[in-house]
Structure formats: structure tokens, C-alpha cells
Amino acid sequence: MRLAKRIENLPPYLFVEINKKIAEKRAKGEDVISFAIGDPDIPTPNNIIEKLCQAAQDPVNHRYPESDGLPELRQAIAEWYEQRFGVVLDPDKEVLPLIGAKEGIAHIALCFIDAGDVALVPDPGYPVYSVGTMLAGGRPYYLPLIDKNGFLPDFNTVPENILRRAKLLWINYPNCPTGAVADLNFFNRTVEFAQRHGVAVCHDGPYTEIAFDGYQPVSFLQASGAKEIGVEFHSLSKSYNMTGWRIGMVVGNKVMVDALKRVKSNLDSGIPQAIQYAAIEAFRGPQDCIQQHNAIYQRRRDLVIEMLNNIGLEAKPPKASLYIWARIPEGYNSVDFTTDLLEQVGVVVTPGVGYGKHGEGYVRLSLTVPDAGLVKGLSRLAGWRDSRSKFRMTSNL
Ligand SMILES: Cc1ncc(COP(=O)(O)O)c(C=O)c1O
């Protein structure tokens, strides 16, 4: 048996490795608290679950769904975009439901990337942008996201020869893993850059609803001309705690949406219809759950930041997203530091380098830890500080 080169070259998915380590520890009876994956611990709101159960009882929903989704779902997505962002979408041509944003993010590379083509990808960034590119036979060109630039890419640094081969540009705000946000100005500059170089833009925006201190993230599609050159991926995973149900969407440029529809209709058979009805309920039902969840995340954010700063890790409170991007202490790399935390105090964080070279020097903590675990995890982090200062004292003797 000989595997394809594309599989041999495929790195293991970051969280598969982390989850394996956690499972090994737990199998040995060790208590591990994980701040690693951004998977909301708060349940899906009741009204959504009730709709899902009701729809699951209806035999109409036991059959193959249409691959472009229920017209009523596309309509509900368009209404939500108009009401939330003031963006008007044609539900038949500019909206496509997905089996979670991750699926669409991976598959859209097949619509644009031929062998040797380039996709401009943020570093650090959600790994699927580059993996999708590579599976399609292309090459990611990494755009560094650094603190000095507010974790926004500097398009001026992309060399001419790369620009000539670039077909796609990936951006993601509120950002994973840095927690940075972008304003309309940045999105307008992105549109200008993309138009100048004939590059299609994919904005990945699953965290627009997770925001703090009254801040309201904007949509890329609010930028003037955005729909002529790009699409936005979105998801119900984080907004409505629906990671387990697998539903998201892509909206925007009709040529791009249609191309992805063509790929998907050949590869999958759509989203289970009961889940589509649950998504319609999420968009059209009461929205107060979003404020309630954000209040919980904001309280956790403040507790985590305070503890990190207490133990000497520099981290700023993010305005949005589920993540805290913390600088690690001098003398560590992010993998060693992550291992040290796990071995010493049984706390899991994600090493920044897992998101790319420019993530080195950082770790990511997710705010999706239930309150009891959070308190325990934070007191363990305090314990980690104590053992290090003891170590420093002995090594100074
Ligand atoms: C930046 C980013 N995009 C997309 C996704 C995937 O979302 P979904 O659950 O809709 O596949 C995630 C999930 O963590 C993410 O962090």
C-alpha cells in the first residue's frame, strides 16, 4: 500500500496531538484542566435544542438534504446579516450553508488553487487555511501577524513574484489565536489590495458575536466593494454554542459561492435538515443568549488575565474572540513551556508555534473552561509560579 504524497506530507492536526496527551494523562488517573480548544462549555440554548428535537421527529427530515441548504435557512442567514451588519445578501446566490465553517474553508481551496498557486495566509493562523491550500496542491505564503502591527498583516511586504501567483488571501478577525480585532478601515484596505492584485479574499469571521466591554465587531462585507472580491465564512459553533451540531455558512461574492457549491454538491450531501431547522431557530429566535454568554466569557477573561499577569506572563485583555494570547517567560519556547505547565501543574494551553512560526513566544488560552475548572486551573497556575520562584531562589544560591 502506498499513501499519496499529500497525506504523507500532511502534519497531524494540532488538537489531535493535544487531545492525545490529555487522554494519556487522564488514563493514568491524573486530573488535567484544559484551556486548549475553543469549544464552548455552555450548552446550546434550549429553544434551539427543542426545535432540533421537533425537526428530528419529522420523517421529511430523515431523507437526503439538498446540498445548497433549505431555502428558509438561506433566507434566515440573509436576514441575520442585514439586521446585524446592514449587509444585504441574495439568499439564492450569495449564501451557502456549510457543515461547519472548517469544511468550507478547506474546500474553497479546490475552487481557486491549482498546482503551484499561492494563497496568502496569516501566521499565526487557523491551520486549515494552509492545510486546505496544500491539499489542493498549492503553497501558502505566510503573512506575519505581529504585536507591533496590532496583529494585522502588512500587505506591503508581499513580494511581486508572490503577488503574481497569489489567488487567495485569508484574513480572520476577531482573530484566532491572537484575539486581535480589525476595523472597517483595515477591511477597506484589504479590498483595495485584493482588487489591485486580482486576489480573491476569504474572511473567516466565526467570532464576530463574541465581544466584550460593549465592543461590536464589523463584517468584512461592510467594506465598500467587498462583495465584488470576497466572501465571509461564519459559523453557529461559537455564537450559539453549536460546535457539536456542525453548521456554518459562507456568504458574499456569487461566483465564489457558486464555485464552492459546485465542489460541495459533488463531495457531500448537505447538512442534516433537523440541524438546519435548529440553525433557523438560532438566527430568528431570541438573541439575549449572546449577551449572557459574553458576560460569562468577559468575567473569565478578566480572571485569566489577572492570574497570567500575576505569574509574570504578559497578556492584554482581548476585545473579542474566545482567546487570550499570552507571552511566555524568557528562556522557554512555546512547546517547552506548554509541556512544563502540563507536567508541573496539569494545565493544558496551546503552544503558539502550533499556529505558525510567528506564534512562537506565545501560548493561547481559551475561555471555554467551566467556572469550577477555571478556578482550579487558575490556582494551579499560581502554584506554577511558586515552584518557579523556588527554583530561581535555589539556582541563585
Ligand atoms: C478561526 C476559526 N475558523 C473556523 C473555525 C471552525 O468553525 P466550525 O466549528 O464552524 O467548523 C474555528 C474553530 O475553532 C476557528 O477558530
Side-chain angles (χ1 to χ4, degrees):
M1 194 196 295
R2 281 180 305 143
L3 291 174
K5 290 224 168 33
R6 77 173 67 83
I7 293 296
E8 281 172 355
N9 296 337
L10 194 63
Y13 194 63
L14 179 60
F15 288 104
V16 171
E17 292 299 290
I18 292 175
N19 288 342
K20 213 159 81 187
K21 269 197 188 165
I22 298 175
E24 281 165 12
K25 288 264 171 202
R26 288 188 176 146
K28 285 194 230 151
E30 292 176 36
D31 177 29
V32 175
I33 295 173
S34 175
F35 288 85
I37 198 160
D39 188 357
D41 57 300
I42 311 164
T44 311
N46 264 339
N47 59 313
I48 300 174
I49 295 296
E50 273 161 23
K51 181 59 83 180
L52 176 69
C53 294
Q54 209 182 318
Q57 300 283 354
D58 186 344
V60 169
N61 299 325
H62 298 179
R63 311 191 67 192
Y64 281 128
E66 292 292 337
S67 48
D68 56 353
L70 290 164
E72 195 185 342
L73 174 58
R74 284 187 268 110
Q75 181 67 40
I77 293 170
E79 282 163 16
W80 182 78
Y81 251 84
E82 180 158 18
Q83 181 206 314
R84 169 65 180 86
F85 299 114
V87 170
V88 177
L89 296 166
D90 176 342
D92 295 328
K93 297 201 170 86
E94 296 175 332
V95 175
L96 179 65
L98 301 170
I99 313 167
K102 183 178 184 181
E103 173 264 303
I105 290 169
H107 281 142
I108 201 162
L110 297 176
C111 306
F112 283 90
I113 304 293
D114 287 316
D117 286 344
V118 167
L120 306 175
V121 170
D123 172 2
Y126 183 56
V128 189
Y129 313 140
S130 49
V131 167
T133 305
M134 291 188 281
L135 285 176
R139 215 190 98 190
Y141 178 87
Y142 293 104
L143 303 174
L145 303 188
I146 55 174
D147 195 3
K148 185 166 70 93
N149 297 336
F151 299 105
L152 299 172
D154 180 355
F155 299 131
N156 295 324
T157 61
V158 186
E160 239 347 279
N161 63 324
I162 294 293
L163 285 171
R164 273 197 298 275
R165 289 158 55 203
K167 302 277 262 319
L168 273 187
L169 162 65
W170 282 100
I171 48 170
N172 157 229
Y173 294 96
N175 184 255
C176 164
T178 68
V181 295
D183 59 13
L184 213 44
N185 237 335
F186 169 73
F187 288 146
N188 283 328
R189 280 194 279 123
T190 304
V191 171
E192 275 166 38
F193 167 79
Q195 277 172 338
R196 200 165 347 115
H197 299 287
V199 178
V201 181
C202 291
H203 177 243
D204 182 21
Y207 298 102
T208 61
E209 303 317 290
I210 320 287
F212 314 119
D213 306 316
Y215 176 75
Q216 274 232 316
V218 289
S219 160
F220 167 69
L221 295 181
Q222 287 173 255
S224 64
K227 251 203 307 189
E228 283 149 40
I229 196 80
V231 288
E232 183 158 86
F233 287 85
H234 217 297
S235 171
L236 285 88
S237 286
K238 322 286 172 162
S239 314
Y240 300 103
N241 304 336
M242 289 177 71
T243 46
W245 305 115
R246 312 307 306 131
I247 187 156
M249 67 271 200
V250 63
V251 300
N253 183 273
K254 35 175 99 101
V255 176
M256 295 174 76
V257 166
D258 183 60
L260 187 52
K261 199 187 298 181
R262 277 158 61 190
V263 166
K264 277 176 55 58
S265 57
N266 279 286
L267 293 183
D268 68 60
S269 299
I271 307 155
Q273 268 183 197
I275 296 174
Q276 297 192 48
Y277 281 110
I280 295 169
E281 173 63 24
F283 286 125
R284 290 189 173 156
Q287 299 296 306
D288 28 329
C289 60
I290 293 189
Q291 287 315 318
Q292 287 158 13
H293 301 153
N294 286 349
I296 296 172
Y297 293 134
Q298 184 171 322
R299 180 171 46 76
R300 292 177 182 173
R301 175 199 70 169
D302 294 341
L303 289 171
V304 174
I305 292 280
E306 192 185 344
M307 177 54 70
L308 292 176
N309 290 340
N310 279 348
I311 64 170
L313 270 66
E314 188 193 319
K316 293 182 200 129
K319 283 190 187 161
S321 88
L322 288 172
Y323 306 114
I324 289 176
W325 192 232
R327 257 188 208 284
I328 58 173
E330 290 286 327
Y332 281 97
N333 67 41
S334 61
V335 171
D336 290 346
F337 179 67
T338 305
T339 309
D340 201 54
L341 277 188
L342 179 60
E343 296 305 330
Q344 278 199 47
V345 291
V347 168
V348 183
V349 298
T350 317
V353 76
Y355 299 95
K357 193 168 88 178
H358 288 87
E360 188 48 275
Y362 292 88
V363 287
R364 192 194 81 168
L365 286 88
S366 165
L367 300 173
T368 54
V369 186
D371 283 357
L374 185 93
V375 170
K376 208 163 161 199
L378 292 179
S379 73
R380 287 187 184 186
L381 285 175
W384 177 84
R385 171 196 57 185
D386 290 340
S387 64
R388 245 174 70 92
S389 50
K390 255 185 250 147
F391 169 74
R392 274 219 221 93
M393 274 165 56
T394 25
S395 58
N396 283 346
L397 288 176

